[in-house]
């Protein structure tokens, strides 16, 4: 682990094998939040934000893992520790949820906070967000799994609670002993791999897994097997009878609850169609010493539990076998699963899957008696929206019973299938505990399963199927692809991993392409879009031809009457003119410009929009726009050669330039929120987020703000994708900067209608000096109401009347 600055640890240390594997998964994941861990802690009262900030900084100062970044240096994935990282809290508040259900809004906010990027290369890979909706409070602790596992998160919450209590009581934050640096553990892992300490256990796993095939639930839907696929979380409370069954079986077989639950899963899968040889992925804490149990870092490992389950076996016998298998597993769990997986034959790797399709973990009493200082905290359902595997189930003890939280791939499974599995487990635990000598074959289950993943079908491949281009580069890619996967790609856009690839075979493919002396393909760049098309492009040629620039011209209505062309407002789109369009005569032709070019200045936007109109052979009679759109329209008219279009300027500020304060971004975001609410026709009391955060007091996290706005909109049943909102927000900011820097002294010799709402008389006078014959018309509304209130009928009437005047003058 490299440490930057004074007292640096000599030389870098490679990441552990499990961290390295997660780093590669992160690069190719469809949703890169798949390995974020977020603990939602509901609290009954607001926390002291200043005290929590001091406590959080103390945690980051204390633990290496919280100051660790994970980077690729050459061919190695390496851990780098920064001596000190200044951190702060993020805060998100919605004063009044309006008609939105507070619980729903809190969940949606947590989901948005969870998916906000955590860049492995930029420490800290952890953050705390305080959320308030009305009078309800949550603390969200988000970490990247590369640096902390679930065990470590519980340790962190415990220490954070102690630190918070100390700060509140005026005491110095201190602990009995310094923590063991994670670098110590990482070096031990590297040494064990190098000196052969894993060889005996590796041989055990190769023997134990010879010919194994993972149990797989039969999918309901045709979704592909993709890391970071869309997912959902289902929390389930096992019945009291199931809890009693676990207790009874523990007494009868001397097995742990984890072994009993694993045995129940093996029994259900065997009866469901997976056959008598059942293999399930099991996540282990991999903390066998007192020191490792106190280590804040990522030590967890994946093992494969394999069992023979015959119909004549009794429940007690299946549990006993799971118990004995668990002890063997724990004895050999230190070998990281990526090392085991890489040592297996290709056929076995394909049958097991990468990652394992079904994962099971047992968390013990995790989440019990949580608190932040003296404030009790409740662990709420995970806000994860991505799936690591087909189905991943965690079970823990709570209130004298057992809870399960299941993360499942929504592109492959319906909730009903996941519930069927849970109900079957519940019944086996309850009935098997009541009658341990009951045979496996006597159980009827609703779950449907099989052994091993089915090979991709033609139907699975159709969306990406198509002819492959012909070139030397394409022939080389097809040959390497065929050698690695056993069959050529079915089309230029097929996903390598959906076609049966894994991380190891991806590296083989890239190495094969570099074998003839070509420069190596950057595998990280390729993993973001792992298709033959992308690979061929990175190889140095033969990719797709350059895509022609998309036209910015949108046709809103065809007609034989006057032609009105409209330019979007700041951060807006042609859709913003729908109300105005409805008020204009049906025979009018109406077109608009959309901001697909994403250019940075008013003159550049005007030239592009003008060029697309010219390419379509269109010369509008009227050229205009609302707010920022009017400025672009003015510049378009100034650039016209020959007859100029008349101008319609809808509450647009004159082009005199102004200062855009850098520290006023929060107020600009509030204005953007108002724009969005108006465009969606929301009521004035619709929920609005207020966001601060980061290391600097009073900072503004725009990603969190956009996510919070998306959550508020979804809570009132007006969902807008976060990515689309982010695009609109960035466009809004770009347009504001363009407007601030736009100066044009005029005059532009064409008649103009200037609609004033918030414009001052002085601004109307400035417009009059910059156009030909100017007609001013005041509307009794605000800047936003020009397009989205009853005033739009008055605006349309003024435009219609102006069109007659302009035509007469023409």
């Amino acid at each position: 682990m490299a440490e930057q600055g004074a007292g640096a640890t000599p030389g870098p240390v490679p990441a552990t094998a499990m961290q390295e594997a997660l780093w590669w998964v992160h690069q190719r994941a469809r949703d890169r939040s798949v390995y974020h861990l977020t603990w939602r802690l509901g609290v009954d009262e607001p926390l002291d934000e200043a005290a929590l900030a001091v406590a959080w900084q103390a945690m980051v100062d204390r633990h290496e893992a919280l100051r660790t970044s994970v980077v690729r240096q050459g061919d190695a994935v390496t851990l780098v520790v920064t001596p000190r990282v200044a951190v702060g809290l993020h805060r998100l508040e919605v004063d009044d949820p309006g008609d939105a259900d507070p619980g729903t809004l809190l969940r949606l906010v947590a989901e948005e906070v969870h998916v906000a990027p955590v860049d492995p290369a930029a420490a800290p890979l952890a953050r705390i967000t305080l959320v308030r909706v009305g009078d309800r409070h949550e603390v969200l602790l988000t970490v990247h799994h590369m640096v902390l596992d679930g065990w470590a998160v519980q340790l962190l919450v415990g220490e954070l609670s102690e630190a918070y209590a100390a700060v509140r009581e005026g005491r110095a934050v201190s602990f009995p002993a310094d923590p063991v640096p994670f670098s110590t553990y990482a070096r031990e892992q590297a040494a064990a791999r190098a000196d052969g300490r894993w060889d005996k256990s590796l041989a055990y796993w190769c023997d134990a897994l010879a010919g194994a095939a993972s149990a797989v639930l039969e999918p309901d839907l045709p979704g592909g097997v993709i890391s970071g696929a869309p997912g959902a979380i289902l929390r389930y409370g096992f019945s009291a009878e199931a809890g009693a069954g676990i207790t009874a079986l523990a007494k009868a077989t001397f097995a742990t609850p984890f072994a009993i639950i694993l045995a129940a899963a093996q029994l259900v899968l065997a009866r469901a169609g997976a056959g008598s040889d059942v293999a399930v992925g099991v996540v282990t804490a991999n903390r066998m010493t007192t020191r490792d149990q106190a280590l804040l870092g990522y030590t967890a490992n994946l093992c494969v539990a394999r069992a023979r389950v015959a119909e004549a076996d009794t429940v007690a016998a299946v549990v006993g076998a799971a118990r004995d298998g668990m002890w063997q597993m724990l004895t050999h769990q230190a070998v990281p699963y990526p090392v085991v997986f890489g040592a297996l034959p290709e056929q076995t790797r394909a049958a097991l899957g990468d990652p394992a399709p079904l994962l099971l973990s047992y968390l013990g009493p995790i989440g019990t008696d949580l608190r932040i200082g003296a404030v009790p905290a409740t662990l709420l359902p995970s806000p994860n929206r991505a799936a690591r595997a087909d189905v991943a189930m965690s079970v823990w003890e709570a209130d004298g019973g057992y809870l399960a939280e299941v993360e499942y791939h929504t592109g492959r499974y319906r909730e009903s299938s996941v519930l069927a599995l849970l109900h079957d487990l519940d019944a086996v635990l309850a009935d098997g505990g009541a009658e341990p000598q009951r045979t496996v074959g006597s159980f009827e289950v609703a779950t449907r399963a099989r052994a091993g993943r089915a090979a991709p079908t033609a139907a699975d491949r159709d969306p990406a199927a198509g002819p492959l281009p012909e070139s030397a580069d394409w022939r080389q890619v097809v040959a390497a692809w065929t050698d690695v996967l056993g069959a050529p790609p079915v089309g230029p856009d097929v996903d390598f991993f959906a076609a049966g690839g894994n991380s190891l075979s991806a590296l083989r493919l890239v190495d094969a392409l570099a074998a003839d002396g070509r420069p190596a393909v950057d595998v990280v760049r390729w993993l973001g879009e792992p298709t033959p098309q992308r690979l061929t492009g990175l190889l140095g040629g033969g990719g797709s031809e350059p895509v022609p620039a998309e036209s910015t011209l949108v046709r809103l209505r065809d007609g034989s009457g006057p032609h009105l062309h409209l330019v979007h407002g700041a951060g807006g789109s042609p859709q913003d003119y729908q109300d105005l369009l409805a008020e204009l005569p049906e025979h009018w032709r109406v077109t608009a410009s959309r901001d697909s070019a994403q250019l940075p200045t008013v003159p550049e936007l005007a030239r592009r929009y003008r060029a697309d109109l010219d390419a379509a052979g269109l010369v509008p009679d009227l050229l205009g726009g609302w707010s920022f759109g009017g400025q672009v329209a003015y510049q378009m008219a100034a650039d016209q050669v020959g007859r100029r279009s008349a101008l319609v300027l809808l509450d647009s500020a004159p082009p005199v330039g102004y200062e855009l304060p850098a520290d006023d971004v929060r107020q600009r975001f509030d204005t953007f929120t108002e724009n969005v609410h108006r465009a969606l026709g929301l009521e004035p009391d619709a929920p609005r987020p207020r966001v601060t955060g980061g290391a600097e007091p009073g900072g503004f996290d725009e990603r969190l703000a956009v996510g919070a706005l998306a959550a508020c909109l979804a809570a009132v049943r007006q969902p807008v994708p976060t990515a689309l909102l982010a695009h609109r927000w960035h466009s809004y900011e770009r347009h504001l900067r363009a407007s601030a820097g736009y100066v044009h002294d005029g005059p532009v010799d064409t008649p103009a209608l200037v609609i004033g709402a918030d414009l001052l008389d002085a601004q109307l006078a400035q417009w009059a000096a910059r156009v030909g014959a100017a007609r001013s018309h005041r509307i009794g509304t605000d800047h936003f109401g020009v397009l989205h209130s009853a005033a739009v009928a008055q605006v349309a009437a003024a435009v219609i009347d102006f069109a007659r005047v302009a035509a007469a003058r023409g």
Side-chain angles (χ1 to χ4, degrees), residues 163-191:
Y164 177 75
V167 177
R168 288 278 290 165
E169 294 164 12
R171 296 183 284 110
V173 176
S174 63
F175 294 90
D178 290 336
V180 174
F182 187 76
S183 56
T184 300
Y185 178 84
R187 286 193 177 86
E188 291 171 353
Q189 290 277 293

Side-chain angles (χ1 to χ4, degrees), residues 122-185:
L125 307 191
R127 59 175 176 255
I128 289 180
T129 307
L130 300 179
V131 179
R132 178 179 64 81
V133 172
D135 59 358
R136 293 177 60 174
H137 302 267
E138 288 186 12
V139 180
L140 307 179
L141 171 61
T142 302
V143 304
H144 203 294
H145 206 0
M146 276 189 226
V147 292
L148 295 181
D149 56 26
W151 185 298
V153 174
Q154 174 142 303
L155 294 176
L156 176 59
V157 171
E159 286 196 4
L160 179 66
S161 177
E162 293 180 40
Y164 177 75
V167 177
R168 288 278 290 165
E169 294 164 12
R171 296 183 284 110
V173 176
S174 63
F175 294 90
D178 290 336
V180 174
F182 187 76
S183 56
T184 300
Y185 178 84

Side-chain angles (χ1 to χ4, degrees), residues 236-238 246 257-258 261-262 265 359-366 392-398 401-406 422 425 429:
Y236 178 86
F238 283 99
I246 292 174
F258 191 11
I261 293 167
L262 172 60
L359 299 176
L360 182 64
S361 60
Y362 186 76
L363 307 177
I366 195 169
M393 180 188 306
S394 297
V395 182
W396 70 97
E397 304 162 20
Y402 296 88
L403 288 176
E405 195 164 87
V406 184
L422 289 164
L425 283 174
L429 291 168

